[in-house]
Amino acid sequence: MAVKRIKGQNFRIFVNGKTNAQAVPEETNCTVNIQSNVESAGNKDVDGNWKQDQIVTKSWNVQVESQAADAAYLRNILNRFNSFEPGNELVGWDQTISDGGTTQNRTAVNAVFSRSGRAFLNDVTITANDRQPISVSCQYTGNGALN
Amino acid sequence: MIGTHDGSSANFYVTMAKSLTAHFSAQLEDSTTKDSTDATTGQNWMEYELVERSGEIQFEALLAVTEVQGDDQQGARFEKFLTEMEDEPIFWALVYVHGANNRQRTTGLCSGKGKITNLSANGQNRQNATFNGTIAVYGDITVLSE
């Protein structure tokens, strides 16, 4: 059986839900990072000289870049960044299916690799260069477990 | 857009701007403790608290000596930034523009106060002289509704 792979445009970020409305609009790129922070667990009872680590904590973050759809979209991002209740955004990723343009490639399929969790919107960069589309890059840092 | 440190709003457009980057970030502090409710044996997910927010606006513009259509176009050229590079904060605003010379305000995005922390100018043989500026956001920002 041939292995089926997905293209980058079908791996998308969703914020505060997994409906079409919650997909990051006009997303151009995303990166998901999950890290285990380790410390050495090696001791004299272990023969050999290979390192043995134990996982102490785990952390995750999501970086998503998009073209700024309009002023309202940028205001929404800035309002969320400026929120007095930070750290409570639901952020996740999922596979999407292309449907001929009906839902703009935003239909999430609950793929086995999809996950979501609470996060801080802790970094926003807006870039506006002459004659080019305005782009915005957001970083979400996970605040607790991924589910 | 920027204002002057003795003014009350941002009312000058950066003359002949080429690029603009606004960067806002929040510093987080590790607040994971033994009480973290998501803990399973040996594997705790990190939890954080917000410490501080900061922002920086960077732009590049051509080094101009006059305005496109006279000095009433409210342009901020290199010399204005040199003058306003003081400890007193100035107003800044990010706005959408249209119209003649792109100086007509369509709608506002956000605004606040800031301090000019860096200015540099470059003159390469046969090419347009340029200057770069950095404004460090000072205090709260306001997300504008129009």
Side-chain angles (χ1 to χ4, degrees), chain A residues 55 57-60 70-71 74-75 78-79 81-83 120 122-130 142-145, chain B residues 18-26 28 38 42-48 53 96 107-110 141 143-144:
Chain A
I55 295 175
T57 57
K58 296 202 295 190
S59 59
W60 62 278
D70 52 30
L74 287 178
R75 287 190 192 113
L78 290 170
N79 274 322
F81 174 81
N82 221 12
S83 166
F120 280 93
N122 69 299
D123 203 281
V124 176
T125 302
I126 301 167
T127 303
N129 291 333
D130 187 32
N143 188 34
Chain B
K18 293 283 288 180
S19 68
L20 165 72
T21 302
H23 179 216
F24 304 102
S25 63
L28 305 177
D38 292 318
Q43 295 187 12
N44 291 329
W45 288 98
M46 297 284 289
E47 293 180 349
Y48 297 92
R53 293 186 180 101
Y96 279 75
T107 186
L109 188 61
C110 59
I141 70 169
V143 180
L144 303 171

Side-chain angles (χ1 to χ4, degrees), chain A residues 12-30:
Chain A
R12 293 190 68 159
I13 304 301
F14 293 80
V15 179
N16 290 324
K18 275 200 189 176
T19 69
N20 296 342
Q22 273 78 40
V24 171
E26 300 194 30
E27 180 186 322
T28 53
N29 190 34
C30 67

Side-chain angles (χ1 to χ4, degrees), chain B residues 57-75:
Chain B
I57 299 164
Q58 294 183 314
F59 65 88
E60 183 188 27
L62 300 187
L63 200 58
V65 294
T66 58
E67 285 299 322
V68 179
Q69 288 183 356
D71 285 340
D72 61 351
Q73 285 293 298
Q74 292 184 300

Side-chain angles (χ1 to χ4, degrees), chain A residues 22-104:
Chain A
Q22 273 78 40
V24 171
E26 300 194 30
E27 180 186 322
T28 53
N29 190 34
C30 67
T31 302
V32 169
N33 289 302
I34 307 164
Q35 264 183 296
S36 289
N37 307 305
V38 301
E39 67 176 29
S40 173
N43 56 69
K44 295 179 182 179
D45 291 346
V46 177
D47 284 337
N49 55 9
W50 282 97
K51 204 175 168 191
Q52 288 187 335
D53 290 334
Q54 64 178 3
I55 295 175
V56 178
T57 57
K58 296 202 295 190
S59 59
W60 62 278
N61 65 71
V62 168
Q63 188 100 22
V64 58
E65 292 157 23
S66 60
Q67 294 182 348
D70 52 30
Y73 173 62
L74 287 178
R75 287 190 192 113
N76 176 269
I77 290 175
L78 290 170
N79 274 322
R80 289 191 285 115
F81 174 81
N82 221 12
S83 166
F84 280 105
E85 293 186 4
N88 206 33
E89 301 231 42
L90 183 64
V91 179
W93 59 87
D94 204 343
Q95 179 186 354
T96 60
I97 50 171
S98 300
D99 52 12
T102 309
T103 57
Q104 300 166 288

